């Protein structure tokens, strides 16, 4: 047909539009993400798990350019393995976050990805670090990605200190569901990872099991 | 970097405000913040009222270019009062919204203004209408607008319930505005709220220090 343009996914950069969130509870952390990867207006992967392991008890959540985020995660995974062998024990969450921050800061002009690093270590328990644009800050919880704008009000209102593990998981699921409803670049299923002293649990919540709200 | 579409230059719309309207059992609440800013750097007014009365039981909130919005509302008010005289009865809320819509649609190339219209009439009771930038008119139970609204979509989706009581709806609206003002640097000041029911109209102003505080403050 005349004038037919090529599909967007051939020319547009692949971004994990995304909504990511991590929250600390007494004894561990919960991380959550959506599963949509978009190239322009096309969804090129609707089931991508954006929660990437950096070590047994340290995960990171990816957002921004998919290639940049994955590359940072892989590089830090390698660096953490080496570091962990050198010190002879499991790495601290702050070490992992610092490695991510170092790459983000050094290459801040070339990269456009934001990773939230969260995990558990023996010294400080559950911790969440935000590393946007090369800053490193520990927070009780962090949200990121394009969908996060829509849920700032919700998380500000609903977050309370001292929530239990189950309350944190529900908080993460609710936040993801709300963001996925409003952000065109977030959607699909919700991935959850809960890390504590004893184990690391990965869970998937399918679309029809997500919470619904008054207009659905 | 992914663009969070709150930058007014990117989207070309809704600058420097948070506006909201919600229906409750027996009436409607419409409200806004009170900050007017120039380019996000200078607050030119801390106490501007963005909730404008266009008839006894019909109020509008404006979003976008304040100059365009004021001009459109002025024209709409005069059309509406003439229409009301002709019909020999108070205007319907949808009439007010349609007049705004006509003006926005016919002049869509020159104007950059959107409106929330809320009110009460004898035919359909409490109603909320949104006239968006290009002139689309839709009716909703709850709606938000302005640059600050981006941050409270999640909160509004989660917390709005149909058929709330007047007090619940006022608390919901105050909380939503406070949360948006907390995150959007071009929204702020006091919260102006108007409660419209069959019986009448009540203005509620919540000054900055009486706004609800959330646990990061």
């Amino acid at each position: 047909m005349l004038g037919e343009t090529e599909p967007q996914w051939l020319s547009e950069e692949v971004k994990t539009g995304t909504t990511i969130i991590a929250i600390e509870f007494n004894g561990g952390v919960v991380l959550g993400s959506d599963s949509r990867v978009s190239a322009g207006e096309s969804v090129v992967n609707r089931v991508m798990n954006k929660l990437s392991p950096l070590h047994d008890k340290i995960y990171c959540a990816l957002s921004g350019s998919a290639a940049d985020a994955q590359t940072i995660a892989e590089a830090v995974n390698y660096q953490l393995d080496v570091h962990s062998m050198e010190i002879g024990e499991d790495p601290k969450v702050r070490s992992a976050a610092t490695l991510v921050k170092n790459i983000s800061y050094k290459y801040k002009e070339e990269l456009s990805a934001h990773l939230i690093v969260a995990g558990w270590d023996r010294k400080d328990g559950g911790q969440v670090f935000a590393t946007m644009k090369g800053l490193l800050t520990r927070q009780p919880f962090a949200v990121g990605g394009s969908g996060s704008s829509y849920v700032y009000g919700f998380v500000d209102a609903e977050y309370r200190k001292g929530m239990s593990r189950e309350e944190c998981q529900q908080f993460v699921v609710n936040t993801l569901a709300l963001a996925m409803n409003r952000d065109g670049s977030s959607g699909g299923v919700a991935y959850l990872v809960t890390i504590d002293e004893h184990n690391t649990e990965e869970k998937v919540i399918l679309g029809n099991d997500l919470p619904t709200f008054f207009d659905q | 970097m992914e663009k969070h579409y709150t930058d007014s230059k990117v989207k070309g719309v809704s600058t420097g405000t948070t506006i909201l309207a919600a229906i409750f059992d027996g009436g409607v609440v419409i409200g806004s913040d009170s900050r007017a800013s120039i380019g996000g750097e200078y607050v030119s007014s801390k106490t501007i009222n963005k909730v404008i009365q266009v008839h006894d039981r019909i109020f509008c909130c404006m979003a976008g270019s304040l100059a365009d919005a004021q001009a459109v509302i002025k024209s709409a008010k005069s059309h509406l009062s003439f229409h009301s005289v002709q019909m020999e009865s108070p205007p319907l809320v949808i009439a007010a919204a349609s007049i705004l819509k006509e003006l926005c649609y016919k002049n869509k190339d020159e104007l950059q203004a959107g409106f929330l219209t809320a009110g009460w009439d004898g035919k359909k009771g409490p109603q909320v209408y949104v006239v968006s930038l290009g002139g689309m008119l839709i009716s909703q139970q709850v709606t938000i607008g302005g640059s600050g609204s981006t941050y409270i979509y999640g909160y509004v989706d989660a917390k709005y319930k149909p058929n709330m009581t007047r007090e619940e709806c006022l608390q919901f609206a105050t909380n939503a505005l406070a949360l948006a003002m907390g995150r959007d640097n071009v929204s702020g000041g006091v919260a102006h709220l108007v409660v419209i029911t069959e019986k009448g109209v009540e203005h509620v102003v919540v000054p900055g220090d009486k706004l609800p505080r959330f646990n990061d403050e």
Side-chain angles (χ1 to χ4, degrees):
Chain A
M1 278 114 267
L2 290 172
E4 190 177 271
T5 50
E6 61 176 15
Q8 284 196 312
W9 51 266
L10 283 175
S11 52
E12 291 280 339
E13 187 192 1
V14 176
K15 295 179 96 67
T16 56
T18 222
T19 308
I20 51 176
I21 173 172
I23 178 170
E24 175 193 325
F25 62 89
N26 188 4
V29 293
V30 181
L31 291 98
S33 83
D34 73 305
S35 68
R36 179 172 291 181
V37 181
S38 47
E41 281 156 17
S42 314
V43 175
V44 295
N45 185 343
R46 59 191 171 111
V47 287
M48 175 172 175
N49 189 343
K50 300 173 193 177
L51 303 177
S52 189
L54 296 178
H55 208 262
D56 297 339
K57 293 211 182 301
I58 308 175
Y59 270 64
C60 68
L62 315 174
S63 75
S65 153
D68 289 350
Q70 280 191 334
T71 308
I72 298 175
E74 281 170 19
V76 172
N77 187 342
Y78 167 74
Q79 290 171 1
L80 256 189
D81 270 348
V82 170
H83 170 69
S84 152
M85 275 188 264
E86 283 175 348
I87 60 175
E89 60 180 24
D90 285 341
K92 306 279 179 303
V93 185
R94 185 174 281 271
S95 311
T98 305
L99 289 170
V100 172
K101 179 266 288 175
N102 287 344
I103 300 179
S104 302
Y105 183 69
K106 187 166 179 194
Y107 300 103
K108 75 185 327 206
E109 304 303 325
E110 293 97 327
L111 296 174
S112 70
H114 172 214
L115 273 63
I116 296 178
V117 179
W120 183 94
D121 63 44
R122 239 173 351 153
K123 179 164 173 258
D124 287 318
Q127 299 146 74
V128 172
F129 289 89
T131 65
M132 183 182 271
K133 295 194 182 176
L135 106 88
L136 176 64
T137 167
R138 182 176 172 194
Q139 299 175 188
F141 72 91
V143 291
S146 55
S148 67
S149 312
Y150 302 102
V151 290
Y152 272 115
F154 178 77
V155 300
D156 282 346
E158 291 295 290
Y159 173 76
R160 287 153 301 140
K161 271 196 343 199
M163 287 198 280
S164 71
R165 180 203 172 98
E166 287 68 31
E167 285 173 325
C168 281
Q169 288 175 325
Q170 192 57 51
F171 176 82
V172 166
V173 170
N174 287 344
T175 309
L176 287 173
L178 287 164
M180 281 156 62
N181 268 338
R182 287 290 182 179
D183 180 28
S185 310
S186 300
V189 305
Y191 287 101
L192 245 69
V193 169
T194 311
I195 308 172
D196 63 17
E197 179 177 1
H198 305 292
N199 54 18
T200 302
E201 178 199 332
E202 294 194 11
K203 214 159 66 147
V204 182
I205 302 183
L206 300 181
N208 55 337
D209 293 328
L210 286 168
T212 55
F213 304 97
F214 77 95
D215 55 351
Q216 293 164 284
Chain B
M1 211 64 213
E2 70 255 7
K3 289 233 164 37
H4 297 243
Y5 288 101
T6 55
D7 182 347
S8 60
K9 292 194 281 294
V10 173
K11 210 175 171 195
V13 298
S14 305
T15 53
T17 195
T18 308
I19 53 181
L20 164 160
I23 297 180
F24 64 89
D25 186 15
V28 57
V29 171
I30 181 168
S32 80
D33 72 308
S34 71
R35 180 173 289 182
S37 59
I38 301 184
E41 281 165 5
Y42 172 66
V43 177
S44 53
S45 170
K46 293 186 269 191
T47 52
I48 189 173
N49 188 355
K50 302 177 198 175
V51 186
I52 311 288
Q53 183 161 23
V54 295
H55 210 266
D56 294 347
R57 297 265 188 294
I58 308 178
F59 281 72
C60 275
C61 272
M62 35 194 191
S65 153
L66 283 179
D68 285 349
Q70 283 185 340
V72 170
I73 287 198
K74 190 165 174 204
S75 171
K77 263 168 107 165
S78 87
H79 281 166
L80 195 63
S81 72
F82 182 66
H83 167 77
S84 172
V85 165
Q86 276 195 313
M87 304 295 285
E88 295 181 11
S89 70
L92 299 178
V93 186
I94 193 168
S98 297
I99 291 170
L100 287 168
K101 181 263 291 175
E102 280 300 296
L103 290 164
C104 289
Y105 182 69
K106 292 254 154 66
N107 300 295
K108 60 159 63 177
D109 295 330
E110 285 94 359
L111 291 175
Q112 236 187 46
F115 300 90
L116 302 188
T117 308
W120 186 95
D121 64 43
K123 188 169 171 203
K124 279 177 145 183
Q127 299 146 75
V128 168
Y129 293 93
V130 184
V131 177
S132 65
L133 223 61
M136 174 180 80
L137 170 64
I138 54 173
S139 166
Q140 292 191 297
Q141 290 202 298
V142 61
T143 188
I144 52 181
S147 59
S149 68
T150 327
Y151 304 105
I152 50 173
Y153 273 107
Y155 182 79
V156 168
D157 282 346
K159 293 293 169 178
Y160 176 76
K161 306 273 177 298
N163 297 320
M164 289 191 278
T165 66
R166 180 185 173 282
E167 284 63 37
E168 285 172 337
C169 196
L170 255 183
Q171 189 60 54
F172 160 79
T174 313
N175 287 348
L177 286 174
L179 287 163
M181 292 196 264
R183 286 288 182 178
D184 184 27
N185 64 333
V186 287
S187 295
V190 309
H192 285 289
L193 293 156
V194 176
V195 184
I196 308 166
T197 57
E198 178 179 4
K199 299 202 184 53
V201 161
E202 185 196 336
H203 291 262
V204 177
V205 175
V206 187
D209 57 347
K210 301 276 187 313
L211 284 170
R213 291 154 81 86
F214 300 93
N215 44 61
D216 61 343
E217 296 167 275

